[in-house]
Amino acid sequence: MKQHLNTLFVTTQRAYLSQYGEAVQVKVEDETKLQLPLHTLGGIVCFGHVNVSPWLMSKCAELGVAISFLSEQGKFLARVVGFTPGNVLLRREQYRRADQEGACAAIARNLVAAKIANARTVLLRSVRDYPDAEGRPCVEQAAARLAATVQQVEVAAGVDLIRGIEGESANIYFGVFGYLITAQRDGFRFVGRNRRPPLDPVNALLSFLYAMLGHDARAACEAAGLDSQVGFLHRDRPGRPGLALDLIEEFRPFLADRLALTLINRQQVRPDGFRKMESGGVEMDDDTRKTVLTAYQKRKQETITHPFLGEETTVGLLIHLQARLLARHLRGDLDAYPAFVWK
């Protein structure tokens, strides 16, 4: 688990991916644009009108390289995977725990407490980095309220109550999120979270990054031998990867939200890189999408010390480590699931 495997993102429309020996070959209008060894890849993500040969799908399934298909806006469409590794006993235990209110609450409690703590850290870091920014008192007040909600979660008895506290904390956090935007504020106004479709550039950026996190979480679940569809915080729903959504909760503020703020405040993305669709939703143009994907990949390659394991790892491997820690908890090796809390 020390190697950081890259993800190949294909955003060029009408690109064709095929197998070339032990490599993936990307062609556009019969011209080879890229060739990469498959053993260096952990996944392939295709946006929009991208075709993949059946021989490449077969080879990727054999090597454990998942291929995900998304719309140009980042909406998940389908995923091609091979044989799922893992112990059937682990999955049976996962299903048993998912049917037990107390077991679900124990895991959900730690997930949500970590998410709120990480959101609070995002607010406090912003206050520290921009002490003279507009809205500082509001941000500090929100951070104090989030600290109180963490304490509420830690003693919450049932999953429904935990979900309610999580929703309240999200309202507090996103209620001041706009103050964290310190540059290009006219073009990146944020008045609240919206999605399906996102109605402004900030929400479009957040939704896209959450979709990328979701892809990584699905892969992490499968690699750890877990069923990505059966979660503990998110209710079962046909087609919804409940456990993958569980796992990304603790990483939304730390990875996605912070990266969105960095891209905006450093003016790496611009308001004119987003366009309004006929449906009223907002989407990124190709150049902006590539900028975001490049930044996301670079962020995943940064190193960090895991707060529970005490070992140095890459940011991109964190969600895989969390999936394995959850598997260890389900097997009985850990008394509780040690959610990721950013210090």
Side-chain angles (χ1 to χ4, degrees):
M1 265 301 291
K2 292 294 184 183
Q3 184 183 10
H4 176 78
L5 295 177
N6 290 314
T7 301
L8 172 62
F9 295 102
V10 184
T11 61
T12 303
Q13 299 305 286
R14 302 187 184 281
Y16 181 73
L17 281 63
S18 61
Q19 180 186 353
Y20 187 82
E22 296 297 314
V24 54
Q25 186 178 71
V26 182
K27 287 187 175 183
V28 180
E29 296 180 353
D30 293 328
E31 180 182 351
T32 300
K33 297 291 187 179
L34 183 69
Q35 197 166 289
L36 289 173
L38 283 167
H39 70 84
T40 65
L41 295 176
I44 299 173
V45 182
C46 304
F47 292 88
H49 190 177
V50 175
N51 296 311
V52 181
S53 77
W55 297 112
L56 177 61
M57 290 185 188
S58 175
K59 189 65 176 179
C60 286
E62 175 189 334
L63 297 177
V65 179
I67 305 176
S68 296
F69 295 90
L70 285 72
S71 70
E72 286 190 75
Q73 294 74 42
K75 179 183 177 182
F76 178 80
L77 301 175
R79 190 163 183 261
V80 178
V81 293
F83 172 74
T84 300
N87 190 329
V88 66
L89 299 179
L90 171 62
R91 291 202 171 200
R92 290 184 66 178
E93 182 62 25
Q94 178 186 355
Y95 302 147
R96 275 194 290 268
R97 300 277 189 102
D99 286 335
Q100 299 171 6
E101 173 71 16
C104 280
I107 296 172
R109 189 180 298 118
N110 289 357
L111 286 168
V112 172
K115 177 185 180 179
I116 298 172
N118 292 340
R120 179 173 179 269
T121 300
V122 171
L123 299 185
L124 293 176
R125 291 251 178 150
S126 179
V127 169
R128 184 197 67 184
D129 295 341
Y130 303 98
D132 300 323
E134 178 188 350
R136 176 175 177 172
C138 295
V139 175
E140 290 177 328
Q141 183 181 29
R145 293 176 64 191
L146 289 179
T149 61
V150 171
Q151 296 177 350
Q152 293 174 20
V153 168
E154 289 173 347
V155 297
V159 179
D160 285 340
L161 180 56
I162 293 169
R163 292 186 185 114
I165 297 172
E166 189 275 331
E168 177 189 353
S169 69
N171 289 334
I172 295 170
Y173 174 65
F174 283 116
V176 297
F177 193 79
Y179 290 123
L180 309 188
I181 299 172
T182 59
Q184 310 182 90
R185 298 197 66 180
D186 289 339
F188 287 100
R189 293 186 179 277
F190 182 84
V191 295
R193 186 79 179 100
N194 55 67
R195 53 184 182 152
R196 298 177 187 168
L199 302 176
D200 57 75
V202 179
N203 276 292
L205 184 54
L206 289 174
S207 291
F208 186 81
L209 288 169
Y210 293 159
M212 295 301 95
L213 264 178
H215 168 270
D216 291 345
R218 286 172 186 247
C221 291
E222 298 291 337
L226 297 165
D227 188 336
S228 64
Q229 301 293 310
V230 181
F232 303 97
L233 173 64
H234 290 82
R235 291 189 178 93
D236 289 346
R237 185 180 299 171
R240 182 165 76 169
L243 186 60
L245 293 174
D246 284 359
L247 281 179
I248 71 172
E249 291 298 342
E250 52 202 291
F251 292 101
R252 287 179 191 264
F254 165 74
L255 184 49
D257 299 352
R258 281 189 72 220
L259 182 56
L261 290 169
T262 297
L263 289 168
I264 294 170
N265 290 338
R266 292 183 181 177
Q267 302 187 42
Q268 292 173 268
V269 295
R270 311 284 299 199
D272 58 10
F274 297 79
R275 53 178 177 251
K276 197 98 170 177
M277 299 180 291
E278 291 183 3
S279 63
V282 172
E283 66 176 12
M284 291 179 273
D285 62 23
D286 291 342
D287 289 340
T288 300
R289 188 181 300 112
K290 290 175 183 176
T291 297
V292 174
L293 289 172
T294 299
Y296 182 67
Q297 282 291 83
K298 287 182 178 179
R299 174 67 175 130
K300 286 168 61 179
Q301 292 166 3
E302 295 176 8
T303 58
I304 187 174
T305 299
H306 193 282
F308 177 76
L309 299 173
E311 297 180 1
E312 188 173 272
T313 185
T314 60
V315 170
L317 286 181
L318 285 174
I319 201 161
H320 287 267
L321 291 173
Q322 292 306 121
R324 281 162 170 73
L325 288 171
L326 177 58
R328 287 179 60 186
H329 167 59
L330 294 175
R331 290 191 185 101
D333 298 332
L334 295 172
D335 291 337
Y337 168 63
F340 174 79
V341 179
W342 176 41
K343 303 289 186 179

